[in-house]
Amino acid sequence: MRVLKITAMAALLLMAASVAFAGPTYDRVMSTKVLKAGISNQGIPFGFINDKNEWVGFDVDMATEIAKRLGANLEKVVVNNNTRISFVQTNPPKVDMVLSNMTHKRVRDEKIDFSITYFFDGQKFLAKKGAVKNVADLANMKVGSMQGTTSIVNATEYLKSLGNAAPKVTGYDGEVAMFEALRSGRVQAITTDSTILLGYAAKVPGQFELVGEFISDEPYGIGLPQDDSAWRDAINFTVQDMWKDGTYMTIYNKWFGPDSAYPFPMTSKIEMWP
Amino acid sequence: MFKRHFQNPWVQNLTLLTLVGLVVYYFTFAFEFKYDFDWAVFFVEGQYGHMGHLMVTGLNTTLTITFYSAIIALVMGTIFGLARLSNFKPVYWFATCYVELFRNTPLLIQLFFWNFALPYAFPEEIRFWLFDHNFEFWCAVVGCGVFTGAFMAEIIRAGIQSIPKGLLEASYSSGLTFPQTLRKIVLPLAFREIIPPLGSEFLNNMKNTSLAMTIGVTELFWSMQEVLSLTYRTFESFIVATAIYLLLSLIIAAFMNIVNEKLKIMPQDKKTMLRGLADVLFKPFGIIGRGLEYVLWYFRRSPEKKTVSPITRMCHTLTCWTVKGGKALFLVALAYVLYMLGVALFHFNYEIIWANLPALLIWRFPGGDSTEFFMGLGGLSGSLLMALISITGSFFIGLIIGMGRTAKSHVLRIPCTLYIELVRGVPLILVILWFYQVVLQFVFKLEIHAFWAGTIALTFFFGAYIAETVRGGIENIPPGQVEAAKASGLTYFQTMRKIILPQALKQMLPALVGMFIAAFKDTALVYIIGVMDLTRAAYAINNRVMIYPFEIYTTVIVLYFIFSYVMSLYAKRLERKLSPEQVRIEM
């Protein structure tokens, strides 16, 4: 008897738990005043832990500003390259938006929605100073990249186009491992979005340099839950407002301006709707 | 009356069936899944290549690492297990250091250390040579092998020590020589003791290879993550990876079962089917063994010829000297290693360690944000807290499941067995991901901090292990006591509460402390979901400092070691206190 009772209770509990509240993101953020943002914590300079053990970076500042403008409290959730999509993809989403140096791609847009581009980057190669005289040198080098990013695919394609039929591209678990592979010499070049490379190259000034052209366009978008246009509008308008009143450039210059550790001149403009 | 009906097998089976039906009904009709499965991702070539091939390549690497590292582990385990019984103290100390150091630190940190810090110990040419030869892969192989070897060494030592002294005395006094005693008495008996735990170590080793992913080896878990991040198919990739790991575990377990069956002593007329199969499978070994026996018998010396000729004496002294020389060489090598260690430690950048120690111990506590876990608590204290909570929780799960596992009723026993076997067949790192990304989110619709998700996953995982400990404890109680309790009119729960559990728990205490150590070490794996435990803190600091990986990883290893070792010493003391009749033999 007891066993049955307990089973019945457990079944009931499960039923009750499944009828949880799941509404559109905009309404939820506005009513609870909590904005959950997925941010990486190991990507210098977008989201990383600084020497005071604080979680800072360009993405963190952007998220903070967006939350402030929407009048909500920001709750930061750690994401990595493998979880940044699935956290907004689940229903209900685990986070309301993801800022994690994520490129807006059509395949990704089939699963989640994206805001307008809030950062412009491209993929490049980083190698020891003087190791690459000519771009064609890259073809036969061992190259490291990051697991869970499309950088590996891009790099493999690029090396193939340079004339190496079977390029050696290893995907490491995160930026740190990737840079460490370059530093210790187990790969001769690493490749991912150029700003990230700059961030790590600045750790040991003068030893590494960016080589070659941008091999891909990497427009970063804020990852948002699929089919929630009220929420997407709110984010897009906020980003445009930030651009209009100059807050965006203030944040940009803080991280990428001429006086910053990783100078990266602004070359593009955010999409502005009249 | 109800109880009596419930003892009917068909009633039990019907209940089980109904339960299964309910679960199936719930998940197919009542539960809102909101997810479309698309298994085609594994069969169709997509934009980023063929995901099925990716998984197969991963599986291949996993199998290779498992195979090589199992061999390394067995060799290391045998050598160091014997060395732990050595009378020559330096060898004994060295072996003890190896066993304690590797058993009491997490494999994840060991792999980080081998992969990130060790190459810097070599001159550049050797380093580049290493990197040219698939360094990450061999790093994972040797790392897993050396780690598992430490556990195997203890099992092998315990197996040899478990042979009663009286048996040895009897064998010597009946005229058997030392090799004969070893072959006929010690090894068969020791093997019988060793095989089951050794089998579970092989299983653990297979599961542990999933950590090779963290250093960039493209094994199964890596492939799973790659599929996940390229196709965004969470469920499909998780399910496939879990199924493969379960299948591998099942195969290993089945193989170990057959070996175990072969070693069992059973009368000819009561042979089981399995034994028949085992006999057939091991026939070649038997033939080789008998052949060797014959050869050895042929070459044996009769006792009359055992006079010592000058040449034999010379050989004897020569061996004596060789052994002495070997010992001296070993001492010199040991001294050199110690010297190098001393030099390395002397050249450490202690400022870096000192500056980052508070962060490693408590992370940002109490200066953290409001959204962080408990004012930014993390690092070592976070790991300890997580281990404490999850072991407390899993103790209760383990108690219930372990009792259910020993129950006579199918309705209780089968689900409990299923839980134990399923959980034990999957790598913890996968269990953590399941909980963080699927179970809590989809099934329970819970929005909780990664710390709690990790704690719940650990609780669930160690629940299965503790359940096995509980079962062992319960089954150790003589059945006469249960019968006596039944005869005196106690119910099942009364018997459990008043007679069995008090004794069983006392016996289980050392094992539980061991489990706590395991949980504490395994908190390292929650780094994957971003919990700021000791490992993640070290990772973050290394991310920032970059150029002192040796210092940071050594500090972390020392921190893990201190706590685990103190606990394991405590466990040993408990064990000694609780079983005074333990006798130690020397060989």
Side-chain angles (χ1 to χ4, degrees):
Chain A
M1 198 67 210
R2 218 165 179 175
V3 182
L4 266 184
K5 257 189 203 163
I6 292 169
T7 336
M9 287 275 278
L12 269 178
L13 261 173
L14 263 172
M15 297 273 201
S18 74
V19 200
F21 172 73
T25 315
Y26 182 76
D27 296 344
R28 203 184 52 231
V29 172
M30 286 304 142
S31 64
T32 59
K33 294 286 169 207
V34 174
L35 171 55
K36 276 184 285 188
I39 302 170
S40 161
N41 70 355
Q42 49 172 325
I44 300 172
F46 289 94
F48 63 102
I49 312 277
N50 72 359
D51 43 3
K52 292 192 194 74
N53 293 327
E54 285 157 348
W55 191 358
V56 294
F58 178 77
D59 279 340
V60 176
D61 284 356
M62 284 295 283
T64 315
E65 184 64 26
I66 291 171
K68 202 176 94 190
R69 285 174 187 242
L70 293 174
N73 288 320
L74 180 70
E75 190 184 322
K76 289 175 277 184
V77 177
V78 185
V79 295
N80 58 34
N81 295 331
N82 298 313
T83 56
R84 57 188 179 184
I85 306 264
S86 69
F87 276 15
V88 266
Q89 194 191 2
T90 55
N91 195 349
K94 223 178 165 78
V95 294
D96 303 316
M97 59 177 188
V98 166
L99 293 93
S100 172
N101 48 282
M102 178 164 59
T103 309
H104 188 166
K105 286 202 158 74
R106 285 174 76 137
V107 251
R108 288 180 179 157
D109 211 333
E110 285 165 13
K111 312 290 177 203
I112 61 173
D113 273 350
F114 279 89
S115 72
I116 55 168
T117 303
Y118 76 98
F119 192 85
F120 311 91
D121 205 348
Q123 189 178 339
K124 267 202 175 183
F125 285 87
L126 184 78
K128 265 222 166 70
K129 216 164 210 164
V132 179
K133 304 236 164 22
N134 189 340
V135 180
D137 292 351
L138 282 171
N140 293 314
M141 282 184 165
K142 271 199 284 184
V143 173
S145 192
M146 260 188 296
Q147 203 219 336
T149 67
T150 45
S151 304
I152 306 179
V153 186
N154 291 341
T156 315
E157 291 297 311
Y158 183 67
L159 294 187
K160 272 183 186 161
S161 77
L162 285 179
N164 185 353
K168 277 187 225 154
V169 183
T170 316
Y172 289 98
D173 182 34
E175 290 87 342
V176 193
M178 176 184 68
F179 185 67
E180 177 55 34
L182 175 68
R183 212 168 66 80
S184 62
R186 69 187 68 181
V187 293
Q188 282 101 51
I190 53 175
T191 175
T192 187
D193 302 351
S194 67
T195 39
I196 294 178
L197 295 178
L198 277 177
Y200 282 91
K203 283 277 163 199
V204 272
Q207 285 193 26
F208 300 100
E209 60 178 357
L210 286 174
V211 291
E213 295 285 290
F214 284 109
I215 66 166
S216 73
D217 232 2
E218 309 282 335
Y220 290 178
I222 302 173
L224 302 167
Q226 184 83 310
D227 298 337
D228 197 341
S229 70
W231 179 234
R232 197 170 64 232
D233 282 346
I235 297 291
N236 279 340
F237 293 158
T238 313
V239 173
Q240 286 174 342
D241 287 346
M242 282 164 65
W243 178 269
K244 225 191 310 194
D245 64 18
T247 324
Y248 180 89
M249 278 321 282
T250 318
I251 297 176
Y252 188 90
N253 284 329
K254 179 177 165 196
W255 295 103
F256 302 103
D259 305 326
S260 67
Y262 339 95
F264 187 71
M266 187 78 185
T267 52
S268 219
K269 270 177 77 174
I270 272 183
E271 179 185 356
M272 286 296 281
W273 302 328
Chain B
M1 195 205 58
F2 182 77
K3 210 171 154 189
R4 205 187 65 224
H5 280 303
F6 208 71
Q7 275 163 358
N8 265 345
W10 67 267
V11 175
Q12 292 180 6
N13 290 342
L14 206 68
T15 322
L16 255 184
L17 221 67
T18 326
L19 278 179
V20 171
L22 268 176
V23 170
V24 169
Y25 167 79
Y26 176 72
F27 279 105
T28 37
F29 298 107
F31 184 69
E32 260 190 286
F33 215 41
K34 290 176 187 162
Y35 190 89
D36 303 316
F37 281 92
D38 177 19
W39 295 101
V41 285
F42 289 108
F43 307 112
V44 181
E45 174 118 26
Q47 188 189 357
Y48 299 126
H50 199 298
M51 294 302 143
H53 291 174
L54 202 63
M55 290 303 268
V56 172
T57 326
L59 174 62
N60 188 20
T61 318
T62 292
L63 289 178
T64 326
I65 301 179
T66 307
F67 182 70
Y68 285 139
S69 59
I71 293 175
I72 293 179
L74 201 58
V75 172
M76 295 286 273
T78 316
I79 293 174
F80 282 93
L82 292 174
R84 286 268 280 161
L85 294 169
S86 169
N87 281 330
F88 184 50
K89 282 297 166 197
V91 169
Y92 169 77
W93 290 328
F94 183 67
T96 309
C97 281
Y98 162 76
V99 168
E100 297 297 353
L101 186 67
F102 284 92
R103 263 162 34 115
N104 288 314
T105 46
L107 175 61
L108 186 64
I109 293 287
Q110 288 175 26
L111 285 180
F112 280 172
F113 191 86
W114 294 136
N115 188 52
F116 293 129
L118 188 72
Y120 288 102
F122 297 116
E124 211 153 73
E125 308 88 67
I126 298 182
R127 210 162 78 202
F128 287 142
W129 184 86
L130 283 175
F131 291 153
D132 273 341
H133 289 82
N134 225 346
F135 181 71
E136 276 98 2
F137 173 80
W138 289 110
C139 205
V141 167
V142 174
C144 288
V146 167
F147 177 76
T148 314
F151 286 86
M152 288 194 173
E154 272 306 88
I155 293 169
I156 289 168
R157 178 195 61 83
I160 294 173
Q161 273 186 345
S162 70
I163 292 153
K165 212 173 184 171
L167 225 53
L168 291 183
E169 281 161 5
S171 108
Y172 285 134
S173 58
S174 66
L176 293 181
T177 60
F178 174 72
Q180 280 173 326
T181 311
L182 194 68
R183 216 169 61 236
K184 298 276 179 196
I185 314 277
V186 177
L187 286 184
L189 282 176
F191 262 118
R192 218 157 270 143
E193 289 277 319
I194 288 170
I195 289 295
L198 218 53
S200 69
E201 279 314 318
F202 280 123
L203 197 72
N204 284 340
N205 182 45
M206 189 276 292
K207 292 195 293 166
N208 283 337
T209 56
S210 59
L211 298 186
M213 167 276 297
T214 55
I215 56 172
V217 179
T218 56
E219 44 75 72
L220 187 56
F221 196 83
W222 189 94
S223 299
M224 183 205 86
Q225 287 206 304
E226 192 69 13
V227 171
L228 178 62
S229 52
L230 289 180
T231 64
Y232 321 115
R233 291 263 151 218
T234 318
F235 276 93
E236 287 88 339
S237 51
F238 275 17
I239 288 174
V240 167
T242 309
I244 297 177
Y245 274 118
L246 273 178
L247 199 69
L248 287 182
S249 304
L250 222 70
I251 292 171
I252 295 178
F255 180 73
M256 287 328 270
N257 236 343
I258 292 176
V259 175
N260 204 10
E261 193 75 9
K262 174 75 192 160
L263 287 173
K264 253 187 213 162
I265 303 167
M266 51 173 79
Q268 278 291 334
D269 54 329
K270 278 185 187 155
K271 269 194 181 175
T272 53
M273 280 255 294
L274 197 63
R275 176 58 179 259
L277 182 74
D279 279 344
V280 173
L281 272 177
F282 287 96
K283 202 148 207 157
F285 293 103
I287 293 170
I288 294 173
R290 263 195 301 280
L292 274 178
E293 195 92 328
Y294 181 76
V295 173
L296 284 176
W297 184 81
Y298 188 79
F299 279 110
R300 87 200 196 288
R301 268 178 309 175
S302 65
E304 295 91 67
K305 283 189 190 159
K306 269 195 175 169
T307 46
V308 183
S309 70
I311 298 171
T312 326
R313 197 182 297 139
M314 219 173 76
C315 281
H316 190 76
T317 33
L318 210 68
T319 353
C320 238
W321 279 107
T322 326
V323 168
K324 270 188 189 149
K327 278 181 180 174
L329 214 68
F330 180 79
L331 276 183
V332 171
L334 205 63
Y336 180 71
V337 167
L338 282 178
Y339 169 75
M340 287 305 282
L341 257 178
V343 170
L345 283 177
F346 183 74
H347 286 294
F348 262 22
N349 187 336
Y350 284 99
E351 261 170 55
I352 287 284
I353 296 178
W354 198 242
N356 289 305
L357 198 59
L360 285 176
L361 291 179
I362 53 169
W363 191 232
R364 298 182 48 176
F365 182 79
D369 290 347
S370 57
T371 54
E372 276 177 273
F373 170 73
F374 195 60
M375 297 192 277
L377 188 74
L380 179 68
S381 354
S383 295
L384 277 171
L385 188 67
M386 191 178 246
L388 197 69
I389 298 173
S390 54
I391 279 299
T392 316
S394 52
F395 176 71
F396 291 104
I397 296 182
L399 212 57
I400 293 164
I401 301 288
M403 272 160 62
R405 176 85 168 75
T406 53
K408 280 204 184 67
S409 154
H410 292 321
V411 184
L412 293 175
R413 201 183 65 231
I414 292 176
C416 291
T417 315
L418 221 66
Y419 166 72
I420 293 174
E421 296 305 330
L422 282 182
V423 171
R424 280 161 29 115
V426 183
L428 174 58
I429 197 161
L430 198 53
V431 174
I432 292 173
L433 281 192
W434 264 108
F435 266 82
Y436 189 50
Q437 280 180 268
V438 178
V439 175
L440 298 173
Q441 179 79 29
F442 273 88
V443 183
F444 293 103
K445 312 268 184 217
L446 280 177
E447 297 274 336
I448 50 176
H449 193 278
F451 179 91
W452 292 112
T455 311
I456 291 173
L458 278 177
T459 309
F460 182 79
F461 186 78
F462 280 100
Y465 281 81
I466 291 185
E468 277 298 271
T469 319
V470 170
R471 180 180 75 115
I474 291 175
E475 282 176 352
N476 255 346
I477 306 295
Q481 291 195 11
V482 185
E483 281 156 18
K486 209 177 237 171
S488 62
L490 293 182
T491 64
Y492 173 76
F493 283 106
Q494 279 173 329
T495 318
M496 274 291 164
R497 206 175 65 231
K498 302 224 155 103
I499 296 173
I500 303 206
L501 285 184
Q503 301 180 58
L505 285 181
K506 201 174 138 190
Q507 281 182 12
M508 279 158 46
L509 218 52
L512 282 178
V513 179
M515 228 31 115
F516 177 81
I517 302 171
F520 170 59
K521 285 193 305 164
D522 282 347
T523 53
L525 298 188
V526 297
Y527 104 102
I528 198 166
I529 55 171
V531 180
M532 268 300 164
D533 71 315
L534 183 49
T535 306
R536 188 91 224 183
Y539 209 69
I541 290 168
N542 198 31
N543 188 2
R544 178 174 73 230
V545 182
M546 266 295 171
I547 38 179
Y548 295 108
F550 240 123
E551 278 81 351
I552 289 161
Y553 287 128
T554 310
T555 315
V556 171
I557 283 182
V558 168
L559 284 178
Y560 271 115
F561 179 76
I562 292 173
F563 277 85
S564 304
Y565 187 60
V566 168
M567 289 302 290
S568 77
L569 281 185
Y570 177 67
K572 248 180 232 158
R573 235 190 67 195
L574 264 179
E575 203 163 355
R576 214 169 298 135
K577 224 164 84 184
L578 296 175
S579 57
E581 67 276 7
Q582 211 183 35
V583 193
R584 195 189 137 101
I585 58 158
E586 270 184 10
M587 295 219 349

